[in-house]
Amino acid sequence: MCKHESKLCPVCNRSFECKMGDVLKCQCYAVRLNDEEREYIAQRFQDCLCATCILTMRARYQHARKEIQLKQFFGLI
């Protein structure tokens, strides 16, 4: 039996259905994250996020990473 659970996104407070029992059908499955992006999100949130907020958090991580790379390039850190 597949486990599905209604959840509220801790970022935007929207309701979504988590399908951890059938992850291939879960709304988050379409969002691809690398290990660093996954860790960035996991350090900030203990529970699932909606797919929209996962995408937003991935974009924030990428932005922060680019800022660090630019600062390193210019010798600021």
Side-chain angles (χ1 to χ4, degrees), residues 11-76:
V11 177
C12 68
N13 209 35
R14 279 185 250 156
S15 178
F16 66 95
E17 188 175 42
C18 177
K19 297 180 180 177
M20 78 166 75
D22 192 359
V23 72
L24 296 177
K25 294 181 181 175
C26 194
Q27 51 92 40
C28 68
Y29 185 74
V31 182
R32 298 288 178 227
L33 300 173
N34 64 35
D35 291 339
E36 291 86 13
E37 294 162 341
R38 194 174 295 107
E39 180 64 25
Y40 177 82
I41 294 170
Q43 288 175 351
R44 287 156 179 77
F45 301 98
Q46 299 300 312
D47 206 352
C48 298
L49 306 180
C50 71
T52 301
C53 289
I54 294 172
L55 288 169
T56 299
M57 292 303 296
R58 183 177 69 184
R60 285 183 187 173
Y61 170 79
Q62 293 298 331
H63 178 76
R65 188 169 159 240
K66 286 178 184 175
E67 280 188 356
I68 290 169
Q69 289 172 336
L70 281 172
K71 287 179 181 178
Q72 288 173 335
F73 179 78
F74 289 109
L76 301 173

